Coordinates of all heavy atoms in Angstrom, one line a residue:
M1 N -33.4 4.7 3.5 CA -32.5 4.7 2.4 C -31.2 4.1 2.6 O -30.7 4.2 3.9 CB -32.4 6.1 1.9 CG -31.5 6.3 0.7 SD -31.3 8.0 0.1 CE -32.7 8.0 -0.9
L2 N -30.6 3.5 1.8 CA -29.3 2.8 1.9 C -28.2 3.7 1.1 O -28.4 3.8 -0.1 CB -29.3 1.4 1.5 CG -27.9 0.7 1.4 CD1 -27.3 0.6 2.8 CD2 -28.0 -0.7 0.8
W3 N -27.2 4.1 1.7 CA -26.1 4.9 1.1 C -24.8 4.0 1.0 O -24.6 3.2 1.9 CB -25.8 6.0 2.0 CG -26.8 7.1 2.1 CD1 -27.9 7.1 2.8 CD2 -26.8 8.3 1.4 NE1 -28.6 8.2 2.7 CE2 -27.9 9.1 1.8 CE3 -26.0 9.0 0.5 CZ2 -28.2 10.4 1.4 CZ3 -26.2 10.2 0.1 CH2 -27.4 10.9 0.4
D4 N -24.2 4.0 -0.2 CA -22.8 3.4 -0.3 C -21.9 4.6 -0.5 O -21.9 5.4 -1.4 CB -22.8 2.5 -1.6 CG -23.5 1.2 -1.4 OD1 -23.2 0.6 -0.5 OD2 -24.5 0.9 -2.2
V5 N -20.9 4.6 0.5 CA -19.8 5.6 0.5 C -18.6 4.9 0.2 O -18.2 3.9 0.8 CB -19.8 6.3 1.8 CG1 -18.6 7.3 1.8 CG2 -21.1 7.0 2.1
F6 N -17.8 5.3 -0.9 CA -16.6 4.7 -1.3 C -15.4 5.6 -0.9 O -15.5 6.8 -1.2 CB -16.6 4.4 -2.8 CG -17.6 3.3 -3.2 CD1 -18.9 3.6 -3.4 CD2 -17.2 2.0 -3.2 CE1 -19.8 2.6 -3.8 CE2 -18.1 1.0 -3.5 CZ -19.3 1.3 -3.9
C7 N -14.4 5.0 -0.3 CA -13.3 5.9 0.1 C -12.0 5.2 -0.3 O -11.7 4.1 0.1 CB -13.3 6.0 1.7 SG -11.9 6.9 2.3
R8 N -11.2 5.9 -1.0 CA -9.9 5.5 -1.3 C -8.9 6.3 -0.5 O -8.9 7.6 -0.6 CB -9.5 5.7 -2.8 CG -8.1 5.3 -3.1 CD -8.0 5.1 -4.6 NE -9.0 4.1 -5.0 CZ -8.9 3.3 -6.1 NH1 -7.9 3.5 -6.9 NH2 -9.9 2.5 -6.4
V9 N -8.1 5.7 0.4 CA -7.2 6.4 1.2 C -6.0 6.8 0.5 O -5.2 5.9 -0.1 CB -6.8 5.5 2.4 CG1 -5.8 6.2 3.3 CG2 -8.1 5.2 3.3
I10 N -5.7 8.0 0.4 CA -4.6 8.6 -0.4 C -3.4 8.9 0.5 O -2.3 8.5 0.2 CB -5.0 9.7 -1.4 CG1 -6.1 9.2 -2.3 CG2 -3.8 10.3 -2.1 CD1 -6.7 10.3 -3.1
D11 N -3.7 9.7 1.5 CA -2.5 10.1 2.4 C -3.1 10.5 3.7 O -4.2 11.1 3.9 CB -1.8 11.3 1.8 CG -2.6 12.6 1.6 OD1 -3.8 12.5 1.7 OD2 -2.0 13.6 1.2
N12 N -2.4 10.1 4.7 CA -2.6 10.6 6.1 C -4.1 10.3 6.7 O -4.4 10.8 7.7 CB -2.4 12.1 6.3 CG -0.9 12.4 6.0 OD1 0.0 11.7 6.2 ND2 -0.7 13.6 5.4
F13 N -4.7 9.4 6.0 CA -6.1 9.0 6.5 C -7.1 10.1 6.7 O -8.1 9.8 7.2 CB -5.9 8.1 7.7 CG -5.0 6.9 7.6 CD1 -3.8 6.8 8.1 CD2 -5.5 5.8 6.8 CE1 -3.0 5.8 7.9 CE2 -4.7 4.7 6.6 CZ -3.5 4.6 7.1
G14 N -6.8 11.2 6.2 CA -7.8 12.3 6.2 C -9.0 12.0 5.4 O -10.2 12.3 5.8
D15 N -8.8 11.3 4.3 CA -9.9 10.8 3.4 C -10.8 9.9 4.2 O -12.0 10.2 4.2 CB -9.4 10.1 2.2 CG -8.1 10.7 1.7 OD1 -8.2 11.8 1.1 OD2 -7.0 10.1 1.8
L16 N -10.3 9.0 5.0 CA -11.1 8.1 5.7 C -11.9 8.8 6.9 O -13.0 8.5 7.2 CB -10.2 6.9 6.3 CG -11.0 5.9 7.0 CD1 -12.1 5.2 6.2 CD2 -10.1 4.7 7.5
G17 N -11.2 9.7 7.5 CA -11.8 10.5 8.5 C -13.1 11.3 8.1 O -14.1 11.2 8.7
V18 N -13.0 11.8 6.9 CA -14.1 12.6 6.3 C -15.2 11.6 6.0 O -16.4 11.8 6.2 CB -13.8 13.4 5.1 CG1 -14.9 13.9 4.3 CG2 -12.8 14.5 5.5
C19 N -14.9 10.5 5.3 CA -15.9 9.4 5.0 C -16.5 8.8 6.1 O -17.8 8.6 6.2 CB -15.2 8.4 4.1 SG -14.8 9.0 2.5
W20 N -15.8 8.6 7.3 CA -16.3 8.0 8.5 C -17.3 9.0 9.1 O -18.4 8.6 9.6 CB -15.2 7.7 9.5 CG -15.7 7.1 10.8 CD1 -15.7 7.7 12.0 CD2 -16.4 5.8 11.0 NE1 -16.4 7.0 12.9 CE2 -16.8 5.8 12.3 CE3 -16.7 4.8 10.2 CZ2 -17.4 4.7 12.8 CZ3 -17.3 3.7 10.7 CH2 -17.7 3.7 12.0
R21 N -17.0 10.3 9.2 CA -17.8 11.2 9.8 C -19.1 11.4 9.1 O -20.2 11.5 9.6 CB -17.1 12.5 10.1 CG -16.1 12.5 11.1 CD -15.5 13.9 11.6 NE -14.8 14.5 10.4 CZ -13.5 14.4 10.1 NH1 -12.9 13.6 10.7 NH2 -13.0 15.0 9.1
L22 N -18.9 11.4 7.7 CA -20.2 11.5 6.8 C -21.1 10.3 7.1 O -22.3 10.5 7.2 CB -19.7 11.6 5.4 CG -20.9 11.4 4.3 CD1 -21.9 12.6 4.4 CD2 -20.3 11.3 2.9
S23 N -20.5 9.1 7.1 CA -21.3 7.9 7.3 C -22.0 7.9 8.7 O -23.2 7.6 8.7 CB -20.3 6.7 7.1 OG -19.8 6.6 5.9
A24 N -21.2 8.3 9.7 CA -21.8 8.3 11.0 C -22.9 9.3 11.1 O -24.0 9.1 11.7 CB -20.7 8.6 12.1
D25 N -22.8 10.5 10.5 CA -23.7 11.6 10.5 C -25.0 11.1 9.8 O -26.2 11.3 10.2 CB -23.2 12.8 9.8 CG -24.2 14.0 9.9 OD1 -24.5 14.4 11.1 OD2 -24.7 14.4 8.9
L26 N -24.9 10.5 8.6 CA -26.0 9.9 7.9 C -26.8 8.9 8.7 O -28.0 8.9 8.8 CB -25.6 9.3 6.5 CG -25.2 10.3 5.4 CD1 -24.5 9.5 4.3 CD2 -26.4 11.1 4.9
A27 N -26.0 8.0 9.3 CA -26.6 7.0 10.2 C -27.4 7.6 11.4 O -28.4 7.2 11.7 CB -25.6 6.1 10.7
A28 N -26.8 8.7 11.9 CA -27.4 9.4 13.1 C -28.7 10.0 12.6 O -29.7 10.3 13.4 CB -26.6 10.5 13.6
R29 N -29.0 10.3 11.3 CA -30.2 10.9 10.7 C -31.1 9.8 10.3 O -32.1 10.0 9.6 CB -29.8 11.8 9.7 CG -29.0 13.0 10.1 CD -28.5 13.7 8.9 NE -27.6 14.8 9.2 CZ -27.8 16.0 9.4 NH1 -29.1 16.4 9.2 NH2 -26.9 16.8 9.7
G30 N -30.8 8.5 10.7 CA -31.7 7.4 10.3 C -31.5 6.7 9.1 O -32.3 5.8 8.6
Q31 N -30.4 7.0 8.4 CA -30.0 6.3 7.1 C -29.2 5.1 7.4 O -28.5 5.0 8.5 CB -29.3 7.3 6.2 CG -30.0 8.5 5.9 CD -31.3 8.4 5.2 OE1 -31.3 7.8 4.2 NE2 -32.4 9.0 5.7
R32 N -29.2 4.1 6.5 CA -28.3 2.9 6.6 C -27.2 3.2 5.6 O -27.3 3.8 4.5 CB -29.0 1.7 6.2 CG -30.0 1.3 7.2 CD -30.7 -0.1 6.8 NE -31.2 0.0 5.4 CZ -30.9 -1.0 4.5 NH1 -30.1 -2.0 4.8 NH2 -31.4 -0.9 3.3
V33 N -25.8 3.0 6.0 CA -24.7 3.3 5.3 C -23.8 2.1 5.2 O -23.5 1.4 6.2 CB -24.0 4.5 5.9 CG1 -22.8 4.8 5.1 CG2 -24.8 5.7 6.1
R34 N -23.3 1.8 4.0 CA -22.2 0.9 3.8 C -21.0 1.7 3.4 O -21.0 2.4 2.4 CB -22.5 -0.1 2.7 CG -23.6 -1.1 3.1 CD -23.8 -2.2 2.1 NE -24.3 -1.6 0.8 CZ -24.8 -2.2 -0.2 NH1 -25.0 -3.6 0.0 NH2 -25.2 -1.7 -1.3
L35 N -19.9 1.7 4.2 CA -18.7 2.4 3.9 C -17.8 1.4 3.4 O -17.3 0.5 4.0 CB -18.1 3.1 5.2 CG -16.7 3.7 5.1 CD1 -16.8 4.8 4.0 CD2 -16.3 4.3 6.4
W36 N -17.3 1.7 2.1 CA -16.4 0.8 1.3 C -15.0 1.5 1.4 O -14.9 2.6 0.9 CB -16.8 0.6 -0.1 CG -18.2 -0.1 -0.2 CD1 -19.4 0.5 -0.1 CD2 -18.4 -1.5 -0.3 NE1 -20.4 -0.5 -0.2 CE2 -19.8 -1.7 -0.4 CE3 -17.5 -2.6 -0.4 CZ2 -20.3 -3.0 -0.5 CZ3 -18.1 -3.9 -0.5 CH2 -19.4 -4.0 -0.6
V37 N -14.1 0.9 2.0 CA -12.7 1.5 2.1 C -11.6 0.6 1.7 O -11.7 -0.7 1.9 CB -12.6 2.0 3.6 CG1 -12.6 0.9 4.5 CG2 -11.3 2.8 3.7
D38 N -10.6 1.1 1.0 CA -9.5 0.3 0.5 C -8.5 0.0 1.6 O -7.7 -0.9 1.5 CB -8.9 0.9 -0.8 CG -8.2 2.2 -0.6 OD1 -8.5 2.8 0.5 OD2 -7.4 2.6 -1.5
D39 N -8.4 0.9 2.6 CA -7.4 0.7 3.7 C -8.1 1.1 5.0 O -8.1 2.3 5.4 CB -6.2 1.5 3.4 CG -5.1 1.3 4.5 OD1 -5.3 0.6 5.5 OD2 -4.0 2.0 4.4
A40 N -8.6 0.1 5.7 CA -9.4 0.5 7.0 C -8.5 0.4 8.2 O -9.0 0.6 9.3 CB -10.5 -0.6 7.1
S41 N -7.2 0.4 8.0 CA -6.3 0.2 9.2 C -6.5 1.5 10.2 O -6.3 1.3 11.4 CB -4.9 0.1 8.8 OG -4.4 1.1 8.0
A42 N -6.7 2.7 9.6 CA -6.8 3.8 10.5 C -8.1 3.7 11.4 O -8.2 4.5 12.4 CB -6.9 5.1 9.6
L43 N -9.0 2.9 11.1 CA -10.2 2.8 11.9 C -9.9 2.2 13.3 O -10.6 2.5 14.2 CB -11.3 2.0 11.2 CG -12.0 2.6 10.0 CD1 -13.0 1.6 9.4 CD2 -12.7 3.9 10.5
A44 N -8.7 1.6 13.4 CA -8.4 1.0 14.7 C -8.2 2.1 15.7 O -8.6 1.9 16.9 CB -7.0 0.2 14.5
W45 N -7.7 3.2 15.4 CA -7.7 4.4 16.4 C -8.7 5.4 16.1 O -9.2 6.1 17.1 CB -6.2 5.0 16.3 CG -5.9 5.6 15.0 CD1 -5.2 5.0 14.0 CD2 -6.2 7.0 14.5 NE1 -5.1 5.9 12.9 CE2 -5.7 7.1 13.3 CE3 -6.8 8.0 15.1 CZ2 -5.7 8.2 12.5 CZ3 -7.0 9.2 14.3 CH2 -6.4 9.3 13.1
M46 N -9.2 5.6 14.9 CA -10.2 6.6 14.6 C -11.6 6.2 15.1 O -12.3 7.0 15.6 CB -10.2 6.8 13.1 CG -11.1 7.9 12.6 SD -11.1 8.0 10.8 CE -9.4 8.1 10.4
A47 N -12.0 4.9 14.9 CA -13.2 4.4 15.4 C -13.0 3.0 15.9 O -13.4 2.0 15.3 CB -14.1 4.2 14.1
P48 N -12.5 3.0 17.2 CA -12.1 1.6 17.8 C -13.4 0.8 18.0 O -13.2 -0.5 18.3 CB -11.4 2.0 19.0 CG -11.8 3.4 19.3 CD -12.1 4.1 18.0
E49 N -14.5 1.4 18.0 CA -15.7 0.6 18.2 C -16.1 -0.3 17.1 O -17.0 -1.2 17.2 CB -16.9 1.6 18.5 CG -17.4 2.4 17.3 CD -16.7 3.7 17.2 OE1 -15.6 3.9 17.8 OE2 -17.2 4.6 16.5
V50 N -15.4 -0.2 15.9 CA -15.7 -1.1 14.8 C -15.3 -2.5 15.1 O -14.1 -2.7 15.5 CB -15.0 -0.6 13.5 CG1 -15.3 -1.6 12.4 CG2 -15.6 0.7 13.0
V51 N -16.2 -3.4 15.0 CA -15.8 -4.8 15.3 C -16.0 -5.5 14.0 O -17.0 -5.5 13.3 CB -16.9 -5.4 16.3 CG1 -16.6 -6.9 16.5 CG2 -16.8 -4.6 17.7
W52 N -14.9 -6.3 13.6 CA -14.9 -7.0 12.3 C -15.4 -8.4 12.4 O -15.3 -9.1 13.4 CB -13.4 -7.1 11.8 CG -13.0 -5.7 11.4 CD1 -12.3 -4.8 12.1 CD2 -13.3 -5.1 10.1 NE1 -12.1 -3.7 11.4 CE2 -12.7 -3.8 10.2 CE3 -14.0 -5.4 8.9 CZ2 -12.8 -2.9 9.1 CZ3 -14.1 -4.5 7.9 CH2 -13.5 -3.3 8.0
G53 N -16.2 -8.8 11.4 CA -16.8 -10.1 11.3 C -17.1 -10.4 9.9 O -16.3 -9.9 9.0
T54 N -18.2 -11.0 9.6 CA -18.6 -11.2 8.2 C -20.0 -10.8 8.1 O -20.8 -10.8 9.0 CB -18.5 -12.7 7.8 OG1 -19.3 -13.5 8.7 CG2 -17.1 -13.2 7.9
D55 N -20.4 -10.4 6.8 CA -21.8 -10.1 6.5 C -22.5 -11.3 6.2 O -22.0 -12.5 6.2 CB -21.9 -9.0 5.5 CG -21.4 -9.5 4.1 OD1 -21.0 -10.6 3.9 OD2 -21.2 -8.6 3.2
G56 N -23.7 -11.2 5.7 CA -24.5 -12.3 5.4 C -24.0 -13.2 4.2 O -24.4 -14.4 4.1
S57 N -23.2 -12.6 3.4 CA -22.7 -13.3 2.3 C -21.3 -14.0 2.5 O -20.7 -14.5 1.6 CB -22.6 -12.5 1.0 OG -21.7 -11.5 1.2
G58 N -20.8 -13.8 3.7 CA -19.5 -14.3 4.1 C -18.4 -13.4 3.8 O -17.2 -13.7 4.1
R59 N -18.6 -12.2 3.3 CA -17.6 -11.2 3.1 C -17.2 -10.6 4.5 O -18.0 -10.4 5.3 CB -17.9 -10.1 2.1 CG -18.2 -10.6 0.7 CD -18.6 -9.5 -0.2 NE -19.8 -8.9 0.5 CZ -20.7 -8.2 -0.2 NH1 -20.5 -7.9 -1.5 NH2 -21.7 -7.7 0.4
E60 N -15.9 -10.1 4.6 CA -15.5 -9.5 5.9 C -16.2 -8.1 5.9 O -16.3 -7.4 4.9 CB -14.0 -9.3 5.8 CG -13.5 -8.7 7.1 CD -12.0 -8.6 7.2 OE1 -11.3 -8.6 6.1 OE2 -11.4 -8.7 8.3
A61 N -16.7 -7.7 7.1 CA -17.4 -6.5 7.3 C -17.2 -6.1 8.7 O -17.1 -6.9 9.6 CB -18.9 -6.6 6.9
G62 N -17.2 -4.8 8.9 CA -17.1 -4.2 10.3 C -18.4 -3.5 10.6 O -19.0 -2.9 9.8
V63 N -18.7 -3.6 12.0 CA -19.8 -2.8 12.4 C -19.4 -2.0 13.5 O -18.7 -2.5 14.4 CB -21.0 -3.8 12.9 CG1 -22.1 -3.0 13.4 CG2 -21.4 -4.7 11.7
G64 N -19.7 -0.7 13.5 CA -19.3 0.1 14.6 C -20.5 1.0 14.9 O -21.3 0.7 15.8
H65 N -20.6 2.2 14.4 CA -21.6 3.1 14.7 C -23.0 2.5 14.2 O -23.0 1.9 13.1 CB -21.3 4.4 13.9 CG -22.2 5.6 14.3 ND1 -23.5 5.7 13.9 CD2 -22.0 6.6 15.0 CE1 -24.0 6.8 14.3 NE2 -23.1 7.4 15.1
A66 N -24.0 2.6 15.0 CA -25.3 2.1 14.6 C -25.7 2.6 13.3 O -25.7 3.8 13.0 CB -26.4 2.5 15.7
G67 N -26.0 1.6 12.4 CA -26.4 2.0 11.0 C -25.3 2.0 10.0 O -25.6 2.2 8.8
V68 N -24.0 1.8 10.4 CA -22.9 1.8 9.5 C -22.2 0.5 9.5 O -21.9 0.0 10.5 CB -21.8 3.0 9.9 CG1 -20.7 2.9 9.0 CG2 -22.5 4.3 9.9
T69 N -22.0 0.0 8.3 CA -21.2 -1.3 8.2 C -20.0 -0.9 7.3 O -20.1 0.0 6.4 CB -21.9 -2.4 7.5 OG1 -22.5 -2.1 6.3 CG2 -23.0 -3.0 8.5
V70 N -18.9 -1.4 7.6 CA -17.7 -1.1 6.9 C -17.2 -2.3 6.1 O -17.2 -3.4 6.6 CB -16.5 -0.7 7.8 CG1 -15.3 -0.4 7.1 CG2 -16.9 0.5 8.7
H71 N -17.0 -2.1 4.8 CA -16.5 -3.2 3.9 C -15.2 -2.9 3.3 O -15.0 -1.7 3.0 CB -17.5 -3.4 2.9 CG -19.0 -3.8 3.3 ND1 -19.4 -5.0 3.5 CD2 -19.9 -3.0 3.7 CE1 -20.6 -5.0 4.0 NE2 -21.0 -3.7 4.1
R72 N -14.4 -3.9 3.1 CA -13.1 -3.7 2.5 C -13.3 -3.7 1.0 O -14.1 -4.4 0.4 CB -12.2 -5.0 2.8 CG -11.8 -5.0 4.2 CD -10.6 -5.8 4.5 NE -10.4 -6.0 5.9 CZ -9.9 -5.1 6.7 NH1 -9.4 -4.1 6.3 NH2 -9.8 -5.5 8.1
W73 N -12.8 -2.6 0.3 CA -12.9 -2.4 -1.0 C -11.7 -2.6 -1.8 O -10.7 -2.0 -1.6 CB -13.4 -0.9 -1.2 CG -13.6 -0.5 -2.7 CD1 -14.0 -1.2 -3.6 CD2 -13.3 0.8 -3.1 NE1 -14.1 -0.4 -4.8 CE2 -13.6 0.9 -4.5 CE3 -12.9 2.0 -2.5 CZ2 -13.5 2.0 -5.3 CZ3 -12.8 3.1 -3.3 CH2 -13.1 3.1 -4.7
A74 N -11.6 -3.6 -2.6 CA -10.4 -4.0 -3.4 C -10.6 -3.6 -4.9 O -11.8 -3.6 -5.3 CB -10.1 -5.5 -3.3
D75 N -9.6 -3.3 -5.5 CA -9.7 -2.9 -7.0 C -10.2 -4.2 -7.7 O -9.9 -5.3 -7.5 CB -8.4 -2.6 -7.5 CG -8.1 -1.1 -7.0 OD1 -8.9 -0.4 -6.7 OD2 -6.8 -0.8 -7.0

């Protein structure tokens, strides 16, 4: 199954922490997850294993935890 998790960072990056842990937990259970986030800057210290590149369509995407891809989410 493929999950799409959308995260809007409001304050102190706690929002992103919860979404990242949820995504990693789902992936650890064998699910594929796309985490869409409007401000991924906190991942630099929260999940330094995320490596940024592009997905198959040329959009910027990050890959870190096995089964989780991170995408920039713009309004």
